[in-house]
């Protein structure tokens, strides 16, 4: 039961934080997605092009789902694996190295859930970069699956072996 409480509070905190910084995240992603040779824009230009209300209504739900569920699954897995290790080692608390290992394992397991949602969320935020590119979450999922199959949702997953250390160290 503690795993569920930890995971839920982490997810709610993440969604609130994402809501507060969402316009900045959209601006950053849009600026990073500029095509080669495309004229650079300022953050204010991107913000003017994006209708703030429309941005929150059309793009935020996907980002919130991705961020909240990622944080939820990470903390749920982390709490569960930590409990298993404590029982296995017959300890009330784990040391720093064991906690890092547990966090790293939770991060790796979380990739199964995180990669597909992150890929779709990024495409939603960048949305409309090409003439016929889909912009809704459902159409993006369909497009990725039709073009690349199930493996298309895991593009870049190998870098997760390295980035899984971030949540382990942070938490």
């Amino acid at each position: 039961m503690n795993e569920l409480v930890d995971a839920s509070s982490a997810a709610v905190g993440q969604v609130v934080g994402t809501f507060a910084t969402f316009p900045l995240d959209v601006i950053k992603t849009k600026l990073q997605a500029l095509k080669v040779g495309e004229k650079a824009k300022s953050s204010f230009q991107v913000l003017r092009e994006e209708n703030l209300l429309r941005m929150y209504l059309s793009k935020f739900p996907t980002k919130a789902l991705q961020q909240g569920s990622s944080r939820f699954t990470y903390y749920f897995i982390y709490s569960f694996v930590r409990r298993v290790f404590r029982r296995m080692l017959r300890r009330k608390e784990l040391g720093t190295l064991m906690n890092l290992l547990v966090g790293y394992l939770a991060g790796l397991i979380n990739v199964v859930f995180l990669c597909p949602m992150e890929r779709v969320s990024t495409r939603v935020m960048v949305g409309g970069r090409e003439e016929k590119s889909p912009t809704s979450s459902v159409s993006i999922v369909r497009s990725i699956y039709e073009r690349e199959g199930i493996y298309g949702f895991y593009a870049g997953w190998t870098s997760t072996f390295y980035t899984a250390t971030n949540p382990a160290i942070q938490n």
Side-chain angles (χ1 to χ4, degrees):
M1 187 64 162
N2 284 342
E3 289 91 356
L4 195 57
V5 171
D6 289 346
S8 296
S9 64
V12 168
Q14 183 65 45
V15 170
V16 169
T18 300
F19 183 83
T21 61
F22 187 67
L24 298 172
D25 199 22
V26 171
I27 290 168
K28 175 194 70 157
T29 303
K30 287 242 180 205
L31 290 174
Q32 289 176 340
L34 288 175
K35 294 179 181 177
V36 175
E38 192 173 352
K39 185 181 175 192
K41 299 176 182 180
S42 72
S43 298
F44 293 110
Q45 286 174 309
V46 174
L47 192 56
R48 267 195 311 261
E49 290 172 5
E50 290 284 332
N51 174 305
L52 200 58
L53 180 61
R54 187 182 60 207
M55 183 191 318
Y56 272 101
L57 292 176
S58 67
K59 298 176 182 190
F60 180 73
T62 302
K63 186 68 173 180
L65 178 65
Q66 180 256 324
Q67 291 284 303
S69 60
S70 172
R71 191 59 58 123
F72 179 89
T73 56
Y74 175 81
Y75 274 96
F76 188 82
I77 294 166
Y78 176 81
S79 295
F80 178 77
V81 171
R82 185 180 63 190
R83 185 166 41 94
V84 168
F85 269 65
R86 286 194 325 224
R87 282 185 184 167
M88 224 170 47
L89 298 172
R90 297 179 187 175
R91 294 183 181 173
K92 287 187 177 188
E93 292 300 321
L94 300 175
T96 303
L97 288 176
M98 287 306 288
N99 268 317
L100 283 172
L101 176 63
V102 167
Y104 181 72
L105 290 173
L108 287 177
I109 295 167
N110 195 32
V111 171
V112 173
F113 305 102
L114 175 65
C115 274
M117 287 188 284
E118 190 168 14
R119 178 103 193 262
V120 171
S121 176
T122 300
R123 295 263 305 266
V124 166
M125 286 175 60
V126 172
R129 303 277 311 143
E130 298 166 12
E131 258 181 55
K132 294 186 178 179
S133 66
T135 56
S136 76
S137 299
V138 174
S139 60
I140 288 172
V141 167
R142 189 177 299 124
S143 173
I144 292 170
Y145 185 74
E146 287 171 356
R147 290 181 183 178
E148 304 170 55
I150 195 75
Y151 299 110
F153 294 102
Y154 291 92
W157 71 272
T158 53
S159 64
T160 305
F161 285 107
Y162 307 109
T163 60
T165 58
N166 285 346
I169 293 168
Q170 289 173 349
N171 300 305

